[in-house]
Amino acid sequence: MCGIVGYIGNKQAADILVEGLSRLEYRGYDSAGIAVYGEDGLKIVKTMGRMDDLRKNLNEFGKPVGSVGIGHTRWATHGEPSDINSHPHKIGRVTLVHNGIIENYVTLKKALADAGRTFISSTDTEVAVQLIDSLYNGDPLAAITAALEQLHGSYAFGILFDDIPDTIYAVRKDSPLVVGLGEGENFIASDIPAVLKYTREYILIEEKEIAIIRRDGVKILDVKGNEIKKDTFKASWDIEAAEKGGYPHFMLKEIHEQPKTLRATISPRLQNGPAGILKEEIDDTLKMERLLIVACGSAMHTGLLGKNAIEKLARVPVDVHIASEFRYSDPIMKQGDAMIIISQSGETADSIAALRLAKQRGIPVYAIVNVVGSTIAREADYVIYTWAGPEIAVATTKAYSAQAATLYMLALRMAVDRKTISDERANQLFNALNELPDKVAEILDNNMAHYEKLAAMNKDVHDLFYIGRGQDYALCCEGSLKLKEISYMHSEAYAAGELKHGTISLVTEGVPVVAVATDDSITEKTISNIKEVKARGAFVIYVCKKGAAAEGDFYDALIELPVTDEVLMPIVAIVPLQSYAYYTAVCKGCDVDKPRNLAKSVTVE
Ligand code: AGP
């Protein structure tokens, strides 16, 4: 996710662009830049780092003078954070800022390079600006329209042409973009907060519509060049609410972002069939005989999901380790082993230490990371980015599901490479991965009020247990952590079959037990364990596939899930557990986005 802004009017553009970008830093903050038209042409100031670094540059080297410009604050996906990879990108007569992912950038880059174009950055965005420049013969609309026919993926572009200094062009697909309407001035922005200081009037651009923004007005054209009349909207939010997209908390916003972030994680990797999954990131055939997955907290919990899927599909033994334990356990690692480090921030001290230990022992390290260019990303031998965008809430949700999706893709690729599953099974999983974002969207569209009600019913209990078997136990670990870390309610996750070996002594009248059963092969066993807690008075919330809840008196509340491939069910099932924790914390008046004692990235031991 990145933030883009544009301004055309009679004020100094630089100040307005910097102000707007500052309001969008929650969308990305590893580099930033602006491009402004002045008397002596287009001037670009851009830098790696945060908005403060850009301000320092502007103060030190002077702000470009002019009243037309575009700006960008970056969340790197392709190409590490650096000055050269930061936006705006200028090639030939075209200058562009981009929010999104060009999925076919490798193919396009090769074709453009073969046609003699020289690339200066390692970004997918540069491919777009090179393409538009290669198609530009003085008619910007023709060049943009022709480029859109070749670009696959998501984009919101702000575009300037050297020889048309009084116009900003904008176009979007999948990524957000609004046009702010002022008096003698107009704006573009990824999100409303960037322009609220100047105007509350805005219009929305639909997919592939081209906006032509001038001082005296805005025109919106369809792909055929016909002008489209657009409704004007009035933003009622205050700036802080707007940064959350109208949601009360970043956590709820990020729960709802999961269909989009899962699509960003999965779609680009499914362009070349099951055997081509993650080909961009991993060129060899994953020959390891054993995998060690090492991580902390929720990242470790996705490792448990990964273990289940990789062992089931690829028949490769997987050991999952808590990083803070692993690094001091003098672990056994031998030739043929490989390590997977999972980390949203890429800066978790214990996980970095585990990575370095593996490298000292000559073990190849694969990193599944969200923050591009982070320490773990830089030091691993292979990096698979989750592309979930900046995750602001301390309690992870969208990064967790993106990590799990990445592990499922890895498990499928390993199984295909090893021929441990049939082509038919591989295609089943491949198609189910493609549909996963829609399954998550189905839950979010229909069931949140139900989870809120259940949370309110149990908000004052002292203990709450999560039980499940296999992949469902792994899921319970994450559900329990979510509840604990944001609502401060005591909770434990238990392997359902293990409960009777001690902890069931804590189950008394009214104690809530969330029982998860998404794996048909062991559901009957889980139901037996549920009946054991029910017999002791538990309030059972049964989480299962839609239609699978056998009639019976073993549960008090039901959470039904849209059905997908059984191996992938945890990604669907985690959403109610995340939401239940969220609503419990809200009911209890907790600081949902910044829970006490916690930090978003634990960079100390
Ligand atoms: C999850 O909600 C927590 N914020 C925490 O457990 C987190 O997953 C853990 O600290 C690991 O962080 P990382 O993914 O950035 O390495």
Side-chain angles (χ1 to χ4, degrees):
M1 207 159 64
C2 302
I4 67 176
V5 289
Y7 173 76
I8 183 164
N10 300 304
K11 303 186 183 81
Q12 282 308 307
D15 294 331
I16 294 173
L17 297 175
V18 169
E19 162 71 23
L21 292 176
S22 307
R23 296 286 174 204
L24 297 179
E25 268 207 297
Y26 67 88
R27 298 181 61 81
Y29 39 73
D30 59 42
S31 50
I34 63 172
V36 175
Y37 268 121
E39 268 85 58
D40 50 357
L42 196 79
K43 196 155 170 3
I44 294 179
V45 179
K46 63 182 189 174
T47 178
M48 178 175 170
R50 289 186 167 247
M51 283 305 296
D52 281 346
D53 299 300
L54 179 61
R55 284 190 198 89
K56 274 192 208 113
N57 276 22
L58 290 166
N59 293 339
E60 202 172 316
F61 304 114
K63 286 180 209 161
V65 176
S67 58
V68 184
I70 52 179
H72 184 273
T73 182
R74 187 170 184 236
W75 176 266
T77 57
H78 296 68
E80 294 202 345
S82 67
D83 293 352
I84 197 69
N85 285 339
S86 52
H87 304 205
H89 286 276
K90 180 170 177 25
I91 299 291
R93 294 176 291 175
V94 183
T95 301
L96 173 143
V97 288
H98 170 219
N99 171 29
I101 292 178
I102 303 300
E103 293 175 1
N104 61 335
Y105 79 97
V106 173
T107 316
L108 289 176
K109 185 167 186 172
K110 187 177 177 320
L112 288 160
D114 291 349
R117 290 201 154 251
T118 307
F119 284 79
I120 49 178
S121 80
S122 49
T123 66
D124 58 324
T125 298
E126 186 187 351
V127 170
V129 62
Q130 291 267 12
L131 179 63
I132 295 172
D133 184 58
S134 72
L135 296 164
Y136 182 51
N137 298 310
D139 178 347
L141 291 175
I144 294 169
T145 308
L148 297 187
E149 280 161 18
Q150 297 184 52
L151 290 170
H152 301 163
S154 57
Y155 49 80
F157 292 134
I159 311 169
L160 298 174
F161 291 84
D162 278 4
D163 43 352
I164 312 177
D166 63 350
T167 307
I168 300 174
Y169 294 86
V171 63
R172 62 169 287 269
K173 174 177 168 294
D174 292 342
S175 297
L177 193 67
V178 298
V179 178
L181 305 174
E183 295 296 319
E185 60 183 14
N186 291 301
F187 308 77
I188 61 168
S190 299
D191 205 352
I192 285 293
V195 300
L196 275 184
K197 181 176 175 183
Y198 307 100
T199 179
R200 288 186 173 277
E201 309 274 321
Y202 66 97
I203 55 177
L204 296 171
I205 310 176
E206 298 307 326
E207 306 253 317
K208 296 198 179 180
E209 292 175 348
I210 297 176
I212 304 168
I213 298 109
R214 296 192 180 95
R215 285 177 183 77
D216 58 0
V218 175
K219 256 191 200 172
I220 308 288
L221 306 182
D222 65 17
V223 284
K224 294 193 180 67
N226 307 313
E227 187 169 351
I228 308 167
K229 284 286 158 240
K230 303 296 272 184
D231 294 337
T232 301
F233 296 92
K234 191 168 177 61
S236 55
W237 292 326
D238 62 34
I239 285 190
E240 203 223 333
E243 285 176 349
K244 296 177 186 130
Y247 290 100
H249 300 102
F250 277 112
M251 184 176 175
L252 186 60
K253 179 175 179 245
E254 289 157 4
I255 287 173
H256 280 274
E257 279 181 345
Q258 290 181 108
K260 189 171 66 146
T261 49
L262 281 167
R263 207 163 283 119
T265 303
I266 295 170
S267 304
R269 277 106 181 206
L270 301 191
Q271 300 294 309
N272 303 305
I277 291 174
L278 297 169
K279 266 273 192 281
E280 277 292 289
E281 291 89 354
I282 306 174
D283 50 10
D284 71 5
T285 54
L286 298 151
K287 303 183 190 67
M288 72 288 289
E289 288 143 30
R290 179 179 75 133
L291 264 175
L292 296 94
I293 297 181
V294 184
C296 301
S298 295
M300 189 274 287
H301 295 156
T302 61
L304 297 173
L305 293 178
K307 169 182 171 68
N308 184 71
I310 293 168
E311 290 186 346
K312 188 175 279 188
L313 297 175
R315 309 307 294 159
V316 171
V318 179
D319 296 328
V320 180
H321 296 270
I322 294 171
S324 55
E325 291 292 300
F326 181 81
R327 64 186 291 196
Y328 295 114
S329 65
D330 189 15
I332 298 165
M333 288 185 272
K334 56 190 186 308
Q335 197 59 34
D337 287 350
M339 180 181 283
I340 296 179
I341 296 277
I342 305 170
S343 177
Q344 188 287 129
S345 63
E347 300 300 343
T348 299
D350 291 318
S351 305
I352 292 171
L355 177 152
R356 289 174 178 164
L357 191 54
K359 297 205 61 159
Q360 281 162 20
R361 307 276 188 89
I363 303 294
V365 177
Y366 298 78
I368 296 177
V369 179
N370 196 39
V371 179
V372 175
S374 55
T375 303
I376 290 174
R378 286 199 312 277
E379 296 189 12
D381 300 298
Y382 301 92
V383 184
I384 305 170
Y385 285 119
T386 47
W387 295 342
E391 190 173 62
I392 309 301
V394 165
T396 183
T397 50
K398 63 175 185 174
Y400 169 92
S401 54
Q403 289 162 359
T406 304
L407 286 160
Y408 288 135
M409 288 192 284
L410 185 65
L412 177 52
R413 165 73 187 283
M414 289 171 69
V416 169
D417 283 357
R418 284 167 168 74
K419 300 185 179 21
T420 46
I421 58 174
S422 68
D423 290 351
E424 186 198 1
R425 180 72 183 113
N427 288 324
Q428 274 173 356
L429 283 158
F430 184 86
N431 296 332
L433 276 165
N434 247 327
E435 292 158 7
L436 211 43
D438 296 338
K439 298 289 181 185
V440 172
E442 190 182 326
I443 293 185
L444 294 168
D445 293 347
N446 301 308
N447 303 337
M448 297 301 269
H450 179 43
Y451 309 147
E452 185 172 10
K453 192 161 133 289
L454 285 174
M457 281 166 70
N458 296 305
K459 69 178 177 60
D460 297 320
V461 300
H462 290 285
D463 302 293
L464 189 149
F465 296 97
Y466 291 78
I467 65 171
R469 288 172 177 256
Q471 65 188 33
D472 296 325
Y473 169 56
L475 206 64
C476 287
C477 293
E478 178 58 11
S480 175
L481 175 61
K482 286 277 110 21
L483 186 69
K484 282 182 280 194
E485 65 177 323
I486 62 173
S487 76
Y488 317 143
M489 180 186 286
H490 174 253
S491 164
E492 277 185 69
Y494 248 82
E498 186 62 7
L499 211 57
K500 54 187 170 302
H501 296 281
T503 301
I504 198 166
S505 65
L506 296 177
V507 177
T508 56
E509 190 61 32
V511 168
V513 174
V514 179
V516 186
T518 64
D519 179 342
D520 294 345
S521 67
I522 42 176
T523 290
E524 278 316 307
K525 300 294 177 199
T526 303
I527 290 175
S528 305
N529 303 134
I530 296 171
K531 288 177 177 172
E532 290 159 9
V533 297
K534 191 77 192 99
R536 286 148 180 93
F539 177 88
V540 174
I541 300 172
Y542 185 41
V543 183
C544 65
K545 294 176 186 172
K546 197 173 282 179
E551 282 310 308
D553 55 359
F554 63 87
Y555 56 84
D556 302 280
L558 191 57
I559 290 180
E560 290 190 289
L561 306 167
V563 179
T564 183
D565 192 288
E566 194 152 86
V567 170
L568 308 181
M569 277 305 295
I571 287 192
V572 175
I574 192 60
V575 176
L577 305 190
Q578 293 167 342
S579 309
Y580 183 90
Y582 169 78
Y583 287 117
T584 301
V586 170
C587 283
K588 292 168 73 77
C590 298
D591 183 349
V592 174
D593 287 334
K594 297 187 183 68
R596 68 187 181 205
N597 309 338
L598 292 178
K600 185 60 185 168
S601 175
V602 183
T603 56
V604 294
E605 283 204 50

